[in-house]
Amino acid sequence: MPTNNRTQNPIGVFDSGLGGLTVVKEIIRHLPFEQIVYFGDTARVPYGTKSAETIIRYAREIVGALLKYKVKMVVVACNTASSLALDVLKKEFDLPVLGVIEPGARKAAAVTRNKKVGVIATSSTVKSGRYADKITACDKKIAVTSMACPLFVPLVEEGWFAHEVTYRIAREYLKGMKKKKIDTLILGCTHYPLLKGVLHDVMGPRVQLVDSAREVALEVKEMLATSGLLRASSSRGRQRFIVTDEPKQFERLASRFLGEGIKDVRRHIYV
Amino acid sequence: MPTNNRTQNPIGVFDSGLGGLTVVKEIIRHLPFEQIVYFGDTARVPYGTKSAETIIRYAREIVGALLKYKVKMVVVACNTASSLALDVLKKEFDLPVLGVIEPGARKAAAVTRNKKVGVIATSSTVKSGRYADKITACDKKIAVTSMACPLFVPLVEEGWFAHEVTYRIAREYLKGMKKKKIDTLILGCTHYPLLKGVLHDVMGPRVQLVDSAREVALEVKEMLATSGLLRASSSRGRQRFIVTDEPKQFERLASRFLGEGIKDVRRHIYV
């Protein structure tokens, strides 16, 4: 094996906080031999209520930090950052950058039968209109209904995954979706897969929930394969975790998203 | 009037976002001739779930920024920053710095009859234990019950001030307070005064709600008076507003907290 082999370099994954770990989980499942460096911007979380200009600035800083780990590609595992900053990152950085919007939009366009797709996401993601753009780019006949659900993230962080209040709030937010008779609902925020039970109950069994984490992992695999960057190894890849706030809280909550515990989270001060 | 008269300088007020405007409102009411520079750290809001180390770093940066406006004193109009950073700020900066914890704690200690006081606040404020410390410093016999209410801030920001869901969540959070038969409840976060209606209904008419904004304004007045820094003027003071994220959203929501509209909010990039 030649030295300085880029295939051995890690995949960089970032999110505003913990949610992106749902994407890491799928990457590990589909690409167990890859190394991963995860960056969670916990000192500035959440992104979903902030402006495009601010999110672009944060995303740029984070990709800069990930480059120090010699990442071979970057996955923007945050819907808000994908909606607002992906184009800028692709233009400014000379490495493959993948967001979570397109894979989710494509999947939804593929599975809808009645051409009525719903998107739930943060305020900033909904305001960006990126999901609707990408879905109609797949199929102009699809009607997209979007709804910002700002209370879902705090409910997940409070751990109220199946609380009566969560059901009540979900019924309120999803009223319009039900009325429009959507048959496919995109979970447009990496926190929302933890509310799948509630969302499934509220929307009913005929509505398919699209969680883009799996699609993103498959696209990472394809991108690495086509650019000859898949890691050749017989040993499982290592994951490293970097956060901007105190690591302890991140370690404590990570298993909710990752499905397994982590430790040795490092802290990055971004100034 | 001598030039360079410090009395003419503004009062600096800061918060993680919008909540501190409830304090500005009271300062304007009690000190209409004072100039105010308000700094809202909207690009990094909220503070209530972040670590002491991070909050101290942010608070230090913000006081540094306020000093450029030649503020004659600083009011930390954020319970989390007051709990975690006040001592550091007092030590490091050579000007009067006032937080919101002590005024609220003193007021609660003065009004309780049965010596049972409740505190509702963010997770970081509750974890700091500062309210309990300050209340028992006033009267060792007072029993303090604290409860973190992380969903209250997003509910206020969603505008659900009297929503059925807000009642349901308040009943859940305040269950323990009712059981302990507190007669005084400190609203330990500058967002909570907007939920006064719900909190009053849930706790009942015999529980007094303590909102420290008024007490803080009165203490600002006293501090300025005793240090000879009250502004001598017959014209009303001017308020300036600085935020770290995009100003438009701040302008749009400010009236909820301030009771009047504002414009010409400036942006500060903190790097």
Side-chain angles (χ1 to χ4, degrees), chain A residues 107-126:
Chain A
K107 172 79 182 291
V111 301
T112 181
R113 292 143 305 181
N114 72 359
K115 310 279 182 197
K116 290 176 183 162
V117 171
V119 179
I120 52 174
T122 65
S123 306
S124 299
T125 298
V126 167

Side-chain angles (χ1 to χ4, degrees), chain B residues 152-181:
Chain B
F152 279 170
V153 170
L155 284 168
V156 167
E157 287 180 351
E158 184 72 321
W160 290 12
F161 304 128
H163 195 287
E164 181 207 323
V165 160
T166 310
Y167 275 93
R168 178 68 190 75
I169 293 174
R171 277 195 294 271
E172 173 109 4
Y173 280 147
L174 299 172
K175 226 185 302 178
M177 300 283 174
K178 294 193 76 155
K179 223 169 170 179
K180 290 264 172 83
K181 299 195 187 307

